[in-house]
Amino acid sequence: MTQQALIAGGGIGGLAAALATARAGWGVRLYERAPFFSEVGAGIQLGPNVVRVLHDWGLANGLARVAAFPRQLTVRSATSGDTLGRLRLGEAMAKRYGAPYATVHRADLHALLLDAVRQAGVTLRLNHTLSRFSQDANAVTVQSGDDPPVEAEVLVGADGLWSPVRQWLLGDGPPRSTGHLAYRALVRQSDLPQALRSTDVSAWLGPRLHVVQYPVHGGEWLNVVAIVHGEAPGDLDNWDRGTEAQDLLAALSGACVPLQNLVRAVPAWRLWALCDRPPMQGAYQHALGRVALLGDAAHPMRPYLAQGAGMAIEDAAELGRVLAQALDPALGVPTMLNRYALNRWQRNARVQARAIRNGEIFHADGLMRVGRDASLKLLGERLLDVPWLYGGP
Ligand SMILES: Cc1cc2nc3c(=O)[nH]c(=O)nc-3n(C[C@H](O)[C@H](O)[C@H](O)COP(=O)(O)OP(=O)(O)OC[C@H]3O[C@@H](n4cnc5c(N)ncnc54)[C@H](O)[C@@H]3O)c2cc1C
């Protein structure tokens, strides 16, 4: 009989896990608590390490239809507008790492994965909140609402930043607030003045803030993310641009005119309070017995290396690899999930730590800022490229 895996969460990580697990020959049932699948209206950058996985899953054509493939990343000073450094993406990166650097609307990536998951025969259970699980040597049993308990060989907690599965497994409390706020927006390039349209990635670095822009949806839209230091306002759901965008403009009062013009040209913003966890401490935080954590449930990170979803997709690829081997009864599920944990935790911890460090560098002031700008001007691509990340795992 086919071995059965249960997946909690239908975000990018959960769908990637479902696809990899089904491709490994398992029966998969995915529970998503929301009544329908959705992703926030925002963009996502995918390094070549991530695009390579999507290509391996046969999604190259689908990705090419919806993504943009910027030719370069330009790092600028938010205050003077000067170019500090450049990293060639496009062909140069495809040559070096075997896949291009892509930027994509999250809903487009989610739809691409969802389509593949459906074709792979995964059972999708919307409006199903996983409310409990237990495990013993032979099986894991989950409960969702009033439904009868369901048994399987594996449970994957891909249930995000506030992961209930993590709490049942590790009981290590909620994630921490970073004291950083992210303002995110999408704007049609055709609605922008010519000077503000862009086919490349730009990162503007300023004291205690940075702004990133890149094209998505085949280049039709521009995604803009501004990160500033600050406390989250009380009611994030009812956040109103009319008042709060003033806070962003106030934070950018010392910024150069082109950056201020970009922010003013954006018609609507959404606000996020950023949370993370400290870098993973060991394999025990990734899997225990028949339960594995994946994506933000395992290693929520600051978005300053643009790899949170990327690491979820890498996790999924590794999960698929070990679960294919776990079909051999001599190896067994707990042993193979332990291998998954051993193979993933250090890389995830390294990315989490590097993301924290990037934030400190991006938002530097004073002497550190002078040193950063000088180093970027001198070393440019050598500082901006990340071979251990883009060439891995
Ligand atoms: C400002 C910002 C910019 C970012 N930029 C990038 C980027 O450029 N590149 C990149 O790779 N990453 C980026 N990230 C990170 C990325 O968004 C996340 O790492 C990724 O979306 C996490 O996916 P996930 O599937 O693990 O979690 P989620 O997307 O949170 O999905 C979890 C799902 O689980 C469901 N769920 C929760 N509890 C239950 C339950 N009990 N039962 C059933 N379902 C449940 C939820 O409804 C949700 O659908 C960024 C993040 C932010 C905040």
Side-chain angles (χ1 to χ4, degrees):
M1 213 182 77
T2 315
Q3 301 246 59
Q4 298 295 320
L6 302 173
I7 296 181
I12 289 168
L15 290 183
L19 180 59
T21 305
R23 284 170 58 88
W26 284 62
V28 182
R29 193 181 299 205
L30 182 147
Y31 293 84
E32 167 54 52
R33 71 177 168 194
F36 46 83
F37 287 111
S38 70
E39 264 293 337
V40 293
I44 201 161
Q45 303 182 66
L46 301 174
N49 54 311
V50 187
V51 174
R52 231 178 9 249
V53 176
L54 298 176
H55 284 186
D56 286 348
W57 289 342
L59 302 178
N61 290 339
L63 185 67
R65 274 195 291 278
V66 294
F69 298 95
R71 281 162 309 149
Q72 73 175 9
L73 157 71
T74 307
V75 181
R76 299 176 195 279
S77 158
T79 38
S80 67
D82 287 353
T83 295
L84 301 173
R86 284 201 174 90
L87 174 64
R88 285 169 299 143
L89 304 174
E91 273 304 303
M93 205 158 254
K95 228 186 227 166
R96 191 173 310 164
Y97 297 117
Y101 196 99
T103 52
V104 62
H105 191 305
R106 302 167 77 94
D108 288 337
L109 176 61
H110 193 271
L112 184 67
L113 289 168
L114 185 56
D115 188 42
V117 156
R118 286 198 168 115
Q119 283 182 35
V122 171
T123 304
L124 300 169
R125 292 265 183 270
L126 284 167
N127 225 346
H128 276 64
T129 301
L130 212 91
S131 48
R132 211 162 1 112
F133 85 83
S134 60
Q135 62 170 325
D136 59 29
N138 301 315
V140 56
T141 308
V142 305
Q143 184 80 45
S144 165
D146 296 333
D147 290 359
V150 175
E151 231 183 59
E153 278 77 28
V154 168
L155 169 64
V156 180
D159 47 352
L161 178 66
W162 303 96
S163 167
V165 174
R166 181 185 181 110
Q167 287 321 301
W168 300 325
L169 196 67
L170 304 176
D172 59 353
R176 61 187 183 185
S177 164
T178 62
H180 294 182
L181 301 173
Y183 293 76
R184 302 163 102 177
L186 280 169
V187 55
R188 251 181 209 287
Q189 302 247 27
S190 56
D191 290 343
L192 289 171
Q194 193 67 42
L196 294 179
R197 298 178 193 175
S198 173
T199 54
D200 288 333
V201 185
S202 294
W204 309 75
L205 311 185
R208 295 164 60 84
L209 63 88
H210 77 280
V211 179
V212 181
Q213 62 177 76
Y214 51 84
V216 295
H217 205 55
E220 272 178 44
W221 294 74
L222 191 67
N223 183 76
V224 189
V225 189
I227 312 257
V228 300
H229 292 204
E231 287 311 314
D235 186 359
L236 286 176
D237 287 345
N238 294 319
W239 187 76
D240 171 35
R241 181 200 188 252
T243 52
E244 307 288 345
Q246 301 311 321
D247 291 347
L248 176 56
L249 281 166
L252 287 167
S253 59
C256 60
V257 172
L259 182 52
Q260 294 213 17
N261 286 346
L262 175 68
V263 169
R264 287 207 171 86
V266 169
W269 293 91
R270 295 190 68 188
L271 184 64
W272 262 255
L274 296 180
C275 296
D276 72 348
R277 288 185 186 274
M280 298 184 90
Q281 298 292 304
Y284 71 94
Q285 286 176 311
H286 231 319
L288 213 55
R290 295 180 169 272
V291 183
L293 299 176
L294 180 145
D296 277 9
H299 42 69
M301 60 184 73
R302 298 176 193 201
Y304 311 143
L305 197 51
Q307 285 278 341
M311 289 304 105
I313 290 170
E314 280 194 6
D315 285 349
E318 177 62 14
L319 184 76
R321 207 180 63 76
V322 301
L323 288 184
Q325 294 172 35
L327 292 174
D328 176 351
L331 294 172
V333 168
T335 305
M336 294 318 293
L337 285 190
N338 191 41
R339 190 166 297 174
Y340 158 80
L342 287 167
N343 288 344
R344 289 301 302 160
W345 82 268
Q346 280 165 315
R347 180 165 168 87
N348 285 323
R350 189 173 183 188
V351 173
Q352 285 175 295
R354 175 68 182 257
I356 292 171
R357 182 72 186 136
N358 271 7
E360 290 161 1
I361 295 170
F362 289 0
H363 296 183
D365 204 357
L367 272 183
M368 187 173 169
R369 174 183 165 197
V370 175
R372 175 199 69 200
D373 292 358
S375 311
L376 275 170
K377 281 187 174 156
L378 194 68
L379 299 170
E381 191 145 308
R382 270 191 283 163
L383 273 190
L384 294 169
D385 200 1
V386 197
W388 64 263
L389 178 61
Y390 297 145

